Amino acid sequence: MQTIHRYGEIEVRDTVKTQATPTGAMLRWMLAFTVMAAIAFAAAANAQARKAPETFADLAEKLLPTVVNVSSTSKIEPGEGGPDDLEEFFRDFFERRGQPMPERPRRAPTSLGSGFVIDPDGYIVTNNHVIAEADEITIRLQDDQTYEAEIIGTDEKTDIALLKIDAENLPHVTWGDSDTTRIGDWVIAIGNPFGLGGTVTAGIVSARSRDINAGPYDDFIQTDASINRGNSGGPMFNMDGEVIGINTAIFSPSGGSVGIGFAVPSAMARNVVQQLREFGEVRRGWLGVRIQTVTEELAEGLRLDAPRGALVASVTPDGPAEASGIKQGDVILRFDGKKVDDMRELPRMVAETGIGKEVEVVVWRKGERKTVTVELGALDEERLAALEEGTGDEGAEGGTSDAVDALGVDLARLSSEMRERYDLSEDVEGVVITEVESGSSAAEKGLRAGDVIVEVDQEPVGDPEAVESRIKDARDEGYRVVTLLVLRQGDYQWVAVRLKGESDSE
Protein backbone atom coordinates (compact mmCIF):
# COMPACT_ATOMS: atom_id res chain seq x y z
CA MET A 1 0.00 0.00 0.00
CA GLN A 2 1.28 3.52 -0.81
CA THR A 3 0.70 6.45 1.54
CA ILE A 4 1.12 10.10 0.53
CA HIS A 5 1.94 12.80 3.11
CA ARG A 6 1.74 16.42 1.96
CA TYR A 7 3.80 19.12 3.71
CA GLY A 8 3.12 22.37 1.87
CA GLU A 9 4.73 21.99 -1.55
CA ILE A 10 6.63 18.83 -0.52
CA GLU A 11 5.20 15.45 -1.31
CA VAL A 12 6.58 12.33 0.37
CA ARG A 13 5.56 8.85 -0.71
CA ASP A 14 5.96 5.95 1.73
CA THR A 15 5.45 2.37 0.63
CA VAL A 16 4.41 0.12 3.51
CA LYS A 17 3.17 -3.44 3.71
CA THR A 18 -0.41 -4.00 4.74
CA GLN A 19 -0.56 -5.74 8.09
CA ALA A 20 -3.15 -6.98 10.56
CA THR A 21 -5.00 -4.44 12.71
CA PRO A 22 -3.49 -4.26 16.24
CA THR A 23 -5.51 -5.78 19.04
CA GLY A 24 -7.03 -3.64 21.82
CA ALA A 25 -4.44 -4.82 24.34
CA MET A 26 -1.62 -3.93 21.98
CA LEU A 27 -3.07 -0.45 21.39
CA ARG A 28 -3.30 0.16 25.14
CA TRP A 29 0.30 -0.96 25.59
CA MET A 30 1.48 1.34 22.78
CA LEU A 31 -0.44 4.27 24.26
CA ALA A 32 1.03 3.67 27.72
CA PHE A 33 4.53 3.45 26.28
CA THR A 34 4.06 6.72 24.37
CA VAL A 35 2.85 8.54 27.51
CA MET A 36 5.75 7.21 29.59
CA ALA A 37 8.26 8.26 26.93
CA ALA A 38 6.76 11.75 26.80
CA ILE A 39 6.97 12.09 30.59
CA ALA A 40 10.60 10.92 30.61
CA PHE A 41 11.49 13.35 27.82
CA ALA A 42 9.86 16.26 29.66
CA ALA A 43 11.65 15.36 32.90
CA ALA A 44 14.99 15.20 31.09
CA ALA A 45 14.39 18.57 29.45
CA ASN A 46 13.45 20.07 32.82
CA ALA A 47 16.64 18.69 34.40
CA GLN A 48 18.73 20.36 31.75
CA ALA A 49 17.45 23.89 32.31
CA ARG A 50 15.47 25.56 35.09
CA LYS A 51 12.78 28.00 34.05
CA ALA A 52 13.03 31.65 35.04
CA PRO A 53 11.25 32.16 38.37
CA GLU A 54 7.95 34.03 38.32
CA THR A 55 9.11 36.01 41.35
CA PHE A 56 12.11 36.33 43.64
CA ALA A 57 9.96 37.55 46.52
CA ASP A 58 9.96 34.41 48.67
CA LEU A 59 13.72 33.98 48.32
CA ALA A 60 14.40 37.65 49.02
CA GLU A 61 12.19 37.64 52.10
CA LYS A 62 14.12 34.69 53.49
CA LEU A 63 17.60 36.07 52.71
CA LEU A 64 17.32 39.80 53.48
CA PRO A 65 17.73 39.34 57.27
CA THR A 66 21.10 37.64 56.70
CA VAL A 67 22.62 40.64 54.90
CA VAL A 68 24.09 43.52 56.94
CA ASN A 69 25.34 47.04 56.41
CA VAL A 70 29.03 47.59 57.18
CA SER A 71 30.25 51.11 57.92
CA SER A 72 33.90 51.76 58.71
CA THR A 73 35.33 54.96 60.12
CA SER A 74 38.91 56.19 59.84
CA LYS A 75 39.60 58.93 62.37
CA ILE A 76 42.04 61.73 61.71
CA GLU A 77 43.60 63.42 64.72
CA PRO A 78 43.77 67.25 64.90
CA GLY A 79 46.67 68.53 62.86
CA GLU A 80 46.65 65.60 60.44
CA GLY A 81 45.58 65.82 56.86
CA GLY A 82 46.25 69.57 56.30
CA PRO A 83 49.13 71.59 54.86
CA ASP A 84 51.83 72.13 57.51
CA ASP A 85 52.50 75.75 56.43
CA LEU A 86 48.85 76.70 56.77
CA GLU A 87 48.69 75.03 60.19
CA GLU A 88 51.71 77.01 61.41
CA PHE A 89 50.33 80.25 60.00
CA PHE A 90 47.14 80.05 62.06
CA ARG A 91 49.04 78.90 65.14
CA ASP A 92 51.35 81.95 64.96
CA PHE A 93 48.35 84.23 64.36
CA PHE A 94 46.55 83.15 67.53
CA GLU A 95 49.73 83.07 69.63
CA ARG A 96 50.54 86.70 68.71
CA ARG A 97 47.08 87.67 69.94
CA GLY A 98 47.67 85.78 73.18
CA GLN A 99 44.93 83.29 72.38
CA PRO A 100 45.12 79.52 72.15
CA MET A 101 44.59 78.07 68.68
CA PRO A 102 41.13 76.49 68.42
CA GLU A 103 41.26 72.74 68.19
CA ARG A 104 40.46 71.46 64.76
CA PRO A 105 37.60 68.97 64.79
CA ARG A 106 38.36 65.33 64.20
CA ARG A 107 37.29 64.28 60.75
CA ALA A 108 35.82 60.84 60.29
CA PRO A 109 35.65 59.65 56.69
CA THR A 110 33.15 56.81 56.47
CA SER A 111 33.01 53.88 54.08
CA LEU A 112 29.76 52.05 53.47
CA GLY A 113 29.60 48.47 52.32
CA SER A 114 27.73 45.23 52.80
CA GLY A 115 28.31 41.86 54.40
CA PHE A 116 26.50 38.69 55.34
CA VAL A 117 26.18 36.52 58.43
CA ILE A 118 27.87 33.18 57.84
CA ASP A 119 27.46 31.85 61.38
CA PRO A 120 24.65 32.44 63.91
CA ASP A 121 27.25 33.35 66.56
CA GLY A 122 27.96 36.66 64.84
CA TYR A 123 30.62 35.93 62.21
CA ILE A 124 30.24 38.25 59.22
CA VAL A 125 31.96 38.14 55.82
CA THR A 126 32.70 41.30 53.80
CA ASN A 127 35.35 42.75 51.48
CA ASN A 128 38.74 43.73 52.83
CA HIS A 129 38.63 47.07 51.01
CA VAL A 130 35.42 47.99 52.88
CA ILE A 131 37.16 47.91 56.27
CA ALA A 132 40.79 48.59 55.30
CA GLU A 133 42.52 51.06 57.66
CA ALA A 134 39.32 51.41 59.70
CA ASP A 135 39.47 52.51 63.35
CA GLU A 136 35.84 51.65 64.03
CA ILE A 137 33.51 49.21 62.28
CA THR A 138 29.75 49.27 62.83
CA ILE A 139 27.37 46.53 61.73
CA ARG A 140 23.70 47.35 61.16
CA LEU A 141 21.32 44.42 60.90
CA GLN A 142 18.13 44.28 58.87
CA ASP A 143 16.09 45.20 61.98
CA ASP A 144 18.30 48.29 62.52
CA GLN A 145 20.16 46.89 65.52
CA THR A 146 23.79 48.09 65.52
CA TYR A 147 26.93 46.43 66.87
CA GLU A 148 30.61 47.29 67.06
CA ALA A 149 32.62 44.70 65.15
CA GLU A 150 36.11 43.31 65.63
CA ILE A 151 38.31 42.11 62.79
CA ILE A 152 39.05 38.39 62.99
CA GLY A 153 41.26 38.38 59.90
CA THR A 154 41.72 39.85 56.43
CA ASP A 155 43.17 38.67 53.13
CA GLU A 156 44.25 41.35 50.65
CA LYS A 157 44.92 38.91 47.82
CA THR A 158 41.27 37.79 47.61
CA ASP A 159 39.79 40.99 49.13
CA ILE A 160 38.01 39.09 51.90
CA ALA A 161 37.59 40.02 55.58
CA LEU A 162 35.97 38.18 58.49
CA LEU A 163 34.34 40.20 61.29
CA LYS A 164 32.72 39.25 64.59
CA ILE A 165 29.95 40.94 66.57
CA ASP A 166 28.69 40.09 70.04
CA ALA A 167 25.39 38.50 69.07
CA GLU A 168 23.79 35.06 68.99
CA ASN A 169 21.15 33.16 67.05
CA LEU A 170 21.42 35.45 64.05
CA PRO A 171 19.78 34.54 60.73
CA HIS A 172 22.60 33.21 58.59
CA VAL A 173 23.39 31.79 55.18
CA THR A 174 25.22 28.72 53.92
CA TRP A 175 27.84 28.33 51.22
CA GLY A 176 26.90 26.95 47.82
CA ASP A 177 29.16 25.33 45.23
CA SER A 178 30.24 27.93 42.70
CA ASP A 179 32.00 25.23 40.65
CA THR A 180 28.62 23.85 39.58
CA THR A 181 27.29 27.29 38.60
CA ARG A 182 26.82 27.63 34.84
CA ILE A 183 26.82 30.62 32.54
CA GLY A 184 23.20 31.67 32.18
CA ASP A 185 22.09 30.57 35.67
CA TRP A 186 19.88 32.99 37.60
CA VAL A 187 21.44 34.76 40.59
CA ILE A 188 20.35 37.49 43.00
CA ALA A 189 22.59 40.02 44.73
CA ILE A 190 21.67 41.68 48.03
CA GLY A 191 23.50 44.68 49.43
CA ASN A 192 23.27 48.21 50.73
CA PRO A 193 23.91 50.58 47.78
CA PHE A 194 24.33 54.24 48.72
CA GLY A 195 23.33 53.46 52.32
CA LEU A 196 19.67 53.09 51.39
CA GLY A 197 19.18 49.77 53.20
CA GLY A 198 18.76 46.19 51.98
CA THR A 199 18.34 46.13 48.20
CA VAL A 200 17.79 43.12 45.95
CA THR A 201 18.83 42.85 42.31
CA ALA A 202 18.61 39.87 39.97
CA GLY A 203 20.39 38.74 36.84
CA ILE A 204 22.31 35.85 35.37
CA VAL A 205 25.86 34.57 35.44
CA SER A 206 27.45 36.25 32.42
CA ALA A 207 30.86 34.56 32.54
CA ARG A 208 33.19 32.59 34.78
CA SER A 209 36.91 32.57 35.60
CA ARG A 210 37.36 36.25 34.83
CA ASP A 211 40.82 37.74 35.44
CA ILE A 212 40.50 41.50 36.10
CA ASN A 213 44.09 41.98 37.34
CA ALA A 214 42.92 42.53 40.91
CA GLY A 215 45.26 39.93 42.41
CA PRO A 216 47.23 36.73 41.84
CA TYR A 217 44.22 34.48 42.39
CA ASP A 218 41.65 36.19 40.15
CA ASP A 219 38.84 33.80 39.25
CA PHE A 220 35.76 36.03 39.34
CA ILE A 221 32.16 35.21 38.50
CA GLN A 222 30.75 37.89 36.19
CA THR A 223 27.08 38.86 36.44
CA ASP A 224 24.68 41.42 35.00
CA ALA A 225 22.82 41.70 38.33
CA SER A 226 23.26 45.34 39.39
CA ILE A 227 26.13 45.81 41.84
CA ASN A 228 26.27 49.46 42.90
CA ARG A 229 28.37 51.40 45.37
CA GLY A 230 27.75 49.93 48.77
CA ASN A 231 27.14 46.43 47.43
CA SER A 232 30.80 45.50 47.98
CA GLY A 233 31.02 42.59 50.39
CA GLY A 234 27.42 41.55 49.85
CA PRO A 235 26.43 38.01 48.85
CA MET A 236 25.49 36.59 45.47
CA PHE A 237 22.91 33.82 45.84
CA ASN A 238 21.83 30.96 43.60
CA MET A 239 18.17 29.97 43.35
CA ASP A 240 18.56 27.62 46.33
CA GLY A 241 19.44 30.58 48.55
CA GLU A 242 23.10 29.56 48.88
CA VAL A 243 26.02 31.98 48.68
CA ILE A 244 28.02 31.29 45.52
CA GLY A 245 29.95 34.57 45.46
CA ILE A 246 30.98 37.74 47.29
CA ASN A 247 30.19 40.87 45.26
CA THR A 248 33.48 42.71 44.96
CA ALA A 249 33.93 44.94 41.93
CA ILE A 250 32.28 46.44 38.86
CA PHE A 251 33.46 47.63 35.50
CA SER A 252 32.04 51.07 34.89
CA PRO A 253 33.17 54.32 33.28
CA SER A 254 30.66 56.26 35.40
CA GLY A 255 30.92 54.55 38.78
CA GLY A 256 27.42 53.07 38.50
CA SER A 257 26.32 49.64 37.35
CA VAL A 258 26.48 49.02 33.61
CA GLY A 259 25.73 45.31 33.88
CA ILE A 260 29.30 44.11 34.44
CA GLY A 261 29.87 43.05 38.03
CA PHE A 262 32.30 40.59 39.58
CA ALA A 263 32.10 38.28 42.58
CA VAL A 264 34.69 36.13 44.36
CA PRO A 265 33.48 32.53 43.89
CA SER A 266 32.46 30.60 46.98
CA ALA A 267 34.85 27.77 46.08
CA MET A 268 37.70 30.17 46.90
CA ALA A 269 36.00 32.32 49.55
CA ARG A 270 34.90 29.43 51.72
CA ASN A 271 38.45 28.18 52.24
CA VAL A 272 39.75 31.71 52.93
CA VAL A 273 37.03 32.43 55.50
CA GLN A 274 37.64 29.11 57.23
CA GLN A 275 41.36 29.87 57.61
CA LEU A 276 40.71 33.43 58.79
CA ARG A 277 38.45 32.05 61.49
CA GLU A 278 40.90 29.32 62.50
CA PHE A 279 44.23 31.17 62.24
CA GLY A 280 43.39 34.86 61.80
CA GLU A 281 45.28 34.70 58.49
CA VAL A 282 45.39 32.67 55.29
CA ARG A 283 48.02 29.95 55.16
CA ARG A 284 48.57 29.00 51.54
CA GLY A 285 50.40 26.07 50.07
CA TRP A 286 53.69 26.75 48.30
CA LEU A 287 55.24 24.82 45.44
CA GLY A 288 58.39 26.87 44.92
CA VAL A 289 58.36 27.61 41.19
CA ARG A 290 58.02 30.62 38.93
CA ILE A 291 55.78 29.84 35.97
CA GLN A 292 54.74 31.33 32.66
CA THR A 293 52.09 30.79 30.00
CA VAL A 294 52.58 28.11 27.36
CA THR A 295 52.01 29.91 24.07
CA GLU A 296 51.47 28.16 20.75
CA GLU A 297 55.08 28.78 19.78
CA LEU A 298 56.37 27.53 23.13
CA ALA A 299 54.20 24.43 22.81
CA GLU A 300 55.75 23.75 19.41
CA GLY A 301 59.24 24.35 20.76
CA LEU A 302 58.59 22.06 23.74
CA ARG A 303 57.14 19.38 21.42
CA LEU A 304 53.81 19.59 23.25
CA ASP A 305 50.66 18.75 21.30
CA ALA A 306 48.78 21.92 22.38
CA PRO A 307 49.37 25.11 24.39
CA ARG A 308 48.36 24.01 27.89
CA GLY A 309 49.75 23.65 31.39
CA ALA A 310 52.17 25.91 33.26
CA LEU A 311 55.79 26.21 32.12
CA VAL A 312 58.35 26.26 34.95
CA ALA A 313 60.59 29.28 34.35
CA SER A 314 62.67 28.70 37.47
CA VAL A 315 62.74 26.51 40.57
CA THR A 316 63.28 28.11 43.98
CA PRO A 317 66.37 26.72 45.73
CA ASP A 318 65.52 24.49 48.72
CA GLY A 319 61.79 24.68 47.87
CA PRO A 320 59.28 21.80 47.68
CA ALA A 321 59.50 21.58 43.87
CA GLU A 322 63.30 21.23 43.90
CA ALA A 323 63.11 18.55 46.60
CA SER A 324 60.61 16.56 44.51
CA GLY A 325 62.65 16.70 41.31
CA ILE A 326 60.63 19.27 39.32
CA LYS A 327 63.00 20.95 36.89
CA GLN A 328 63.29 24.20 35.02
CA GLY A 329 61.56 23.72 31.65
CA ASP A 330 58.99 21.21 32.91
CA VAL A 331 55.39 21.88 31.91
CA ILE A 332 52.99 21.11 34.78
CA LEU A 333 49.96 19.38 33.23
CA ARG A 334 48.15 18.04 36.31
CA PHE A 335 48.23 18.98 39.98
CA ASP A 336 46.69 16.81 42.69
CA GLY A 337 44.47 15.03 40.18
CA LYS A 338 43.26 18.22 38.46
CA LYS A 339 44.09 19.25 34.90
CA VAL A 340 46.05 22.48 34.51
CA ASP A 341 44.57 23.82 31.28
CA ASP A 342 45.91 27.34 31.78
CA MET A 343 48.86 28.77 33.69
CA ARG A 344 46.55 31.00 35.82
CA GLU A 345 44.88 27.93 37.32
CA LEU A 346 47.98 26.53 39.00
CA PRO A 347 48.57 29.28 41.63
CA ARG A 348 44.97 28.93 42.83
CA MET A 349 45.24 25.14 42.99
CA VAL A 350 48.44 25.32 45.02
CA ALA A 351 47.19 28.08 47.32
CA GLU A 352 44.02 26.16 48.15
CA THR A 353 45.93 22.96 48.99
CA GLY A 354 46.85 22.26 52.60
CA ILE A 355 50.38 22.86 53.80
CA GLY A 356 52.27 19.60 54.22
CA LYS A 357 49.98 17.65 51.90
CA GLU A 358 51.66 15.26 49.47
CA VAL A 359 50.30 15.69 45.95
CA GLU A 360 51.06 14.07 42.61
CA VAL A 361 52.24 16.43 39.88
CA VAL A 362 52.31 15.34 36.24
CA VAL A 363 54.89 17.18 34.13
CA TRP A 364 55.94 17.20 30.47
CA ARG A 365 59.71 16.90 30.25
CA LYS A 366 61.62 16.61 26.99
CA GLY A 367 58.79 14.94 25.14
CA GLU A 368 57.67 12.60 27.93
CA ARG A 369 55.16 12.60 30.77
CA LYS A 370 56.57 12.11 34.24
CA THR A 371 54.85 11.99 37.64
CA VAL A 372 56.48 13.34 40.80
CA THR A 373 55.22 13.58 44.37
CA VAL A 374 55.54 16.94 46.11
CA GLU A 375 55.04 17.78 49.77
CA LEU A 376 53.76 21.37 49.77
CA GLY A 377 55.40 23.96 51.98
CA ALA A 378 54.01 27.19 53.45
CA LEU A 379 54.02 30.31 51.27
CA ASP A 380 56.61 32.80 52.50
CA GLU A 381 55.42 36.23 51.35
CA GLU A 382 58.76 37.94 51.98
CA ARG A 383 60.68 35.36 49.99
CA LEU A 384 58.13 35.52 47.19
CA ALA A 385 58.41 39.31 47.04
CA ALA A 386 62.18 39.03 46.76
CA LEU A 387 61.83 36.62 43.84
CA GLU A 388 59.39 38.92 42.05
CA GLU A 389 61.54 42.06 42.17
CA GLY A 390 61.62 43.88 38.84
CA THR A 391 64.42 43.61 36.37
CA GLY A 392 66.49 46.46 35.01
CA ASP A 393 66.90 47.65 31.45
CA GLU A 394 70.68 47.77 31.40
CA GLY A 395 72.52 46.56 28.38
CA ALA A 396 75.34 47.41 26.05
CA GLU A 397 76.11 46.90 22.43
CA GLY A 398 79.21 46.03 20.52
CA GLY A 399 82.00 43.59 21.26
CA THR A 400 83.38 40.68 19.32
CA SER A 401 80.78 37.95 18.97
CA ASP A 402 79.57 35.09 16.79
CA ALA A 403 76.41 35.73 14.80
CA VAL A 404 73.60 33.17 14.90
CA ASP A 405 71.55 34.21 11.88
CA ALA A 406 68.74 31.73 12.50
CA LEU A 407 67.85 33.56 15.73
CA GLY A 408 68.72 37.05 14.58
CA VAL A 409 71.23 37.65 17.39
CA ASP A 410 74.94 38.07 17.97
CA LEU A 411 76.32 35.90 20.79
CA ALA A 412 79.50 35.86 22.85
CA ARG A 413 81.14 33.58 25.37
CA LEU A 414 80.98 34.67 29.00
CA SER A 415 84.51 36.02 29.31
CA SER A 416 85.66 38.27 32.17
CA GLU A 417 85.20 41.26 29.86
CA MET A 418 81.61 40.28 29.04
CA ARG A 419 80.75 39.62 32.69
CA GLU A 420 82.02 43.06 33.61
CA ARG A 421 80.28 44.77 30.69
CA TYR A 422 76.86 43.27 31.46
CA ASP A 423 77.29 43.03 35.23
CA LEU A 424 77.05 39.23 35.30
CA SER A 425 78.25 37.29 38.33
CA GLU A 426 80.75 34.46 38.13
CA ASP A 427 78.12 31.80 38.80
CA VAL A 428 76.08 32.73 35.68
CA GLU A 429 76.53 30.20 32.88
CA GLY A 430 75.45 30.32 29.25
CA VAL A 431 75.95 32.58 26.24
CA VAL A 432 75.41 36.33 26.32
CA ILE A 433 73.51 38.25 23.61
CA THR A 434 75.50 41.26 22.40
CA GLU A 435 73.20 42.46 19.62
CA VAL A 436 69.68 41.75 18.34
CA GLU A 437 68.76 42.14 14.69
CA SER A 438 65.94 44.63 14.15
CA GLY A 439 62.73 42.98 12.93
CA SER A 440 63.89 39.47 13.86
CA SER A 441 61.86 36.98 15.86
CA ALA A 442 64.26 37.52 18.76
CA ALA A 443 63.55 41.26 18.67
CA GLU A 444 59.81 40.64 18.56
CA LYS A 445 60.13 38.47 21.67
CA GLY A 446 61.89 41.28 23.54
CA LEU A 447 65.39 39.80 23.66
CA ARG A 448 68.12 42.38 24.09
CA ALA A 449 71.83 42.82 24.63
CA GLY A 450 72.88 41.56 28.04
CA ASP A 451 70.40 38.67 28.13
CA VAL A 452 72.05 35.31 28.75
CA ILE A 453 70.86 32.20 26.90
CA VAL A 454 71.23 29.37 29.40
CA GLU A 455 69.50 26.54 27.52
CA VAL A 456 68.28 25.82 24.00
CA ASP A 457 65.47 23.26 23.81
CA GLN A 458 66.20 22.32 27.44
CA GLU A 459 69.85 21.56 26.77
CA PRO A 460 72.56 23.72 28.45
CA VAL A 461 74.75 25.82 26.16
CA GLY A 462 78.13 27.33 26.97
CA ASP A 463 79.23 28.88 23.68
CA PRO A 464 77.71 30.10 20.37
CA GLU A 465 78.71 26.86 18.66
CA ALA A 466 76.52 24.88 21.08
CA VAL A 467 73.60 27.17 20.23
CA GLU A 468 74.12 26.60 16.51
CA SER A 469 74.32 22.84 17.10
CA ARG A 470 71.00 22.79 18.95
CA ILE A 471 69.39 24.85 16.15
CA LYS A 472 70.72 22.41 13.55
CA ASP A 473 69.27 19.49 15.53
CA ALA A 474 65.88 21.19 15.69
CA ARG A 475 65.89 21.81 11.93
CA ASP A 476 66.97 18.25 11.20
CA GLU A 477 63.99 17.04 13.25
CA GLY A 478 61.67 19.27 11.23
CA TYR A 479 60.98 21.95 13.86
CA ARG A 480 60.70 25.65 13.06
CA VAL A 481 60.78 26.91 16.66
CA VAL A 482 63.34 26.58 19.46
CA THR A 483 62.84 27.39 23.12
CA LEU A 484 65.43 29.52 24.89
CA LEU A 485 65.87 29.74 28.65
CA VAL A 486 66.90 33.35 29.11
CA LEU A 487 68.38 34.95 32.24
CA ARG A 488 67.93 38.68 32.70
CA GLN A 489 68.96 40.45 35.90
CA GLY A 490 68.42 37.33 37.98
CA ASP A 491 65.08 36.36 36.42
CA TYR A 492 64.61 33.29 34.22
CA GLN A 493 62.09 33.16 31.40
CA TRP A 494 61.34 30.74 28.57
CA VAL A 495 61.11 32.32 25.14
CA ALA A 496 60.03 30.60 21.91
CA VAL A 497 61.87 31.97 18.88
CA ARG A 498 60.89 31.09 15.32
CA LEU A 499 63.90 30.22 13.19
CA LYS A 500 64.68 32.16 10.04
CA GLY A 501 64.37 30.09 6.87
CA GLU A 502 67.35 29.40 4.70
CA SER A 503 65.98 31.83 2.13
CA ASP A 504 65.89 34.56 4.80
CA SER A 505 69.55 34.21 5.76
CA GLU A 506 72.02 36.66 4.34
Side-chain angles (χ1 to χ4, degrees), residues 1-5 13-19:
M1 186 177 81
Q2 195 174 62
T3 305
I4 300 176
H5 305 282
R13 296 175 181 268
D14 294 334
T15 302
V16 298
K17 292 182 179 179
T18 304
Q19 61 183 18

Side-chain angles (χ1 to χ4, degrees), residues 222-243:
Q222 182 182 325
T223 181
D224 65 354
S226 294
I227 299 176
N228 297 295
R229 292 177 180 174
N231 275 106
S232 290
M236 174 188 289
F237 294 102
N238 60 19
M239 291 299 96
D240 293 322
E242 300 168 330
V243 177

Side-chain angles (χ1 to χ4, degrees), residues 188-435:
I188 65 172
I190 302 181
N192 184 64
F194 309 107
L196 296 174
T199 302
V200 180
T201 57
I204 63 169
V205 173
S206 306
R208 293 186 51 183
S209 300
R210 287 298 199 208
D211 183 353
I212 61 174
N213 296 316
Y217 307 115
D218 281 13
D219 187 31
F220 289 99
I221 298 172
Q222 182 182 325
T223 181
D224 65 354
S226 294
I227 299 176
N228 297 295
R229 292 177 180 174
N231 275 106
S232 290
M236 174 188 289
F237 294 102
N238 60 19
M239 291 299 96
D240 293 322
E242 300 168 330
V243 177
I244 59 166
I246 303 174
N247 302 321
T248 296
I250 63 171
F251 173 78
S252 172
S254 63
S257 174
V258 294
I260 304 177
F262 303 98
V264 179
S266 62
M268 178 186 297
R270 185 174 190 170
N271 180 54
V272 170
V273 170
Q274 181 179 343
Q275 292 201 48
L276 291 178
R277 182 170 179 176
E278 186 174 354
F279 307 115
E281 62 180 3
V282 179
R283 299 179 179 180
R284 294 186 167 93
W286 178 55
L287 185 57
V289 294
R290 288 184 66 254
I291 56 175
Q292 66 183 88
T293 300
V294 180
T295 63
E296 288 189 7
E297 286 185 331
L298 278 172
E300 182 179 347
L302 294 165
R303 318 314 180 222
L304 196 58
D305 59 350
R308 55 197 173 97
L311 175 59
V312 177
S314 63
V315 179
T316 305
D318 302 322
E322 183 183 64
S324 70
I326 291 178
K327 300 182 182 298
Q328 196 173 46
D330 286 350
V331 179
I332 298 176
L333 301 177
R334 297 184 72 90
F335 179 85
D336 199 17
K338 302 173 185 174
K339 288 176 61 179
V340 182
D341 291 320
D342 183 82
M343 180 268 288
R344 293 189 304 116
E345 297 174 351
L346 183 62
R348 292 194 296 272
M349 291 178 181
V350 175
E352 293 172 3
T353 305
I355 296 168
K357 181 179 179 181
E358 290 190 351
V359 299
E360 285 192 348
V361 179
V362 178
V363 302
W364 178 262
R365 180 183 300 166
K366 297 183 179 180
E368 296 181 355
R369 281 176 174 256
K370 294 184 179 294
T371 301
V372 297
T373 301
V374 184
E375 181 179 339
L376 292 189
L379 180 62
D380 185 336
E381 299 288 355
E382 291 184 3
R383 188 173 191 180
L384 182 65
L387 290 171
E388 292 179 347
E389 286 181 354
T391 62
D393 293 325
E394 298 178 3
E397 302 206 5
T400 304
S401 62
D402 297 321
V404 180
D405 289 339
L407 297 180
V409 297
D410 284 356
L411 302 176
R413 295 169 178 80
L414 282 175
S415 63
S416 299
E417 178 188 351
M418 289 297 169
R419 292 183 188 276
E420 182 178 355
R421 175 183 297 180
Y422 296 111
D423 192 23
L424 301 171
S425 63
E426 290 296 328
D427 60 348
V428 172
E429 298 180 356
V431 184
V432 65
I433 297 176
T434 59
E435 189 171 350

Side-chain angles (χ1 to χ4, degrees), residues 474-492:
R475 277 182 163 159
D476 290 346
E477 294 170 14
Y479 295 108
R480 300 167 298 167
V481 174
V482 294
T483 55
L484 310 179
L485 179 60
V486 176
L487 175 67
R488 178 183 298 166
Q489 297 293 309
D491 254 349
Y492 289 95

